[in-house]
Amino acid sequence: MGTLKTEPARTRADLLAPPVTAALGQWPTDASVDVDDVLVAPIDATLADTAAFCAAYEVGLDISANCVIVAGKREGTVRYAACVVLATTRADVNGVVRRHLDARKASFAPMDDAVELTGMEYGGITPIGLPGSWPILVDSRVVGTPYVIVGSGVRHSKIALPGPALRLLPGAEVVDGLARPVG
């Protein structure tokens, strides 16, 4: 995990957005991944964007994941979903995600909407603690990663957790082909 200094996330609410703290407090005790395997590390908030973060903290793009919020529209109704993909890939928003949301049109949610609806900072949005009605679409490559780095809900830290833990989140669905390789 590069040069990150991690510790159990549930012990560091100061490094998490409130919805993330709440979700960790409700982590099932019988889950196949223990809550103490969800780690957090402080980072420089100016380095929160993926490329800058990976370079500064010596973290590979292949273990860094992005959580993007997508809005799909059909007949005036907007549906939201979170997509979790490795930094070496990009979510197939106009194909796989649009069809999953049963939408005519899908695009990245506007920043203000994503921030307001999640209670998290833009550039730090994480799949942990999202609204319960939202599907969380997780690319199968992410759950196949032994440990993956994601946002923490704020820009001044990152969460490290076993990739398989993401399938345990409420509303999570592992999707083959959710993302396409970059390049």
Side-chain angles (χ1 to χ4, degrees), residues 3-182:
T3 60
L4 294 175
K5 307 260 188 277
T6 61
E7 56 191 296
R10 68 184 180 93
T11 67
R12 292 297 307 268
D14 61 310
L15 295 177
L16 306 170
V20 178
T21 302
L24 291 175
Q26 297 172 4
W27 197 269
T29 56
D30 61 348
S32 58
V33 175
D34 190 86
V35 69
D36 285 334
D37 290 333
V38 179
L39 308 173
V40 68
I43 66 164
D44 179 335
T46 65
L47 300 172
D49 294 332
T50 305
F53 162 75
C54 288
Y57 293 94
E58 301 173 17
V59 170
L61 290 170
D62 60 334
I63 65 165
S64 182
N66 293 315
C67 180
V68 295
I69 306 303
V70 176
K73 245 186 195 180
R74 183 180 202 92
E75 298 172 2
T77 302
V78 178
R79 297 178 187 102
Y80 293 94
C83 299
V84 184
V85 300
L86 292 176
T88 56
T89 65
R90 295 289 176 258
D92 183 4
V93 172
N94 290 306
V96 175
V97 180
R98 181 186 57 78
R99 285 190 300 274
H100 192 280
L101 288 173
D102 189 28
R104 289 197 186 281
K105 181 181 177 187
S107 59
F108 295 109
M111 178 178 63
D112 291 344
D113 292 351
V115 168
E116 180 181 340
L117 295 169
T118 64
M120 300 180 199
E121 294 177 6
Y122 194 76
I125 293 175
T126 185
I128 301 169
L130 290 174
S133 62
W134 289 8
I136 301 172
L137 308 179
V138 184
D139 188 73
S140 57
R141 287 171 276 224
V142 177
V143 295
T145 304
Y147 254 86
V148 65
I149 312 294
V150 296
S152 63
V154 295
R155 291 182 60 87
H156 63 273
S157 66
K158 293 284 185 179
I159 286 178
L161 75 165
L166 293 169
R167 75 173 61 235
L168 304 175
L169 298 175
E173 181 181 333
V174 178
V175 180
D176 287 325
L178 175 64
R180 297 181 182 161
V182 174

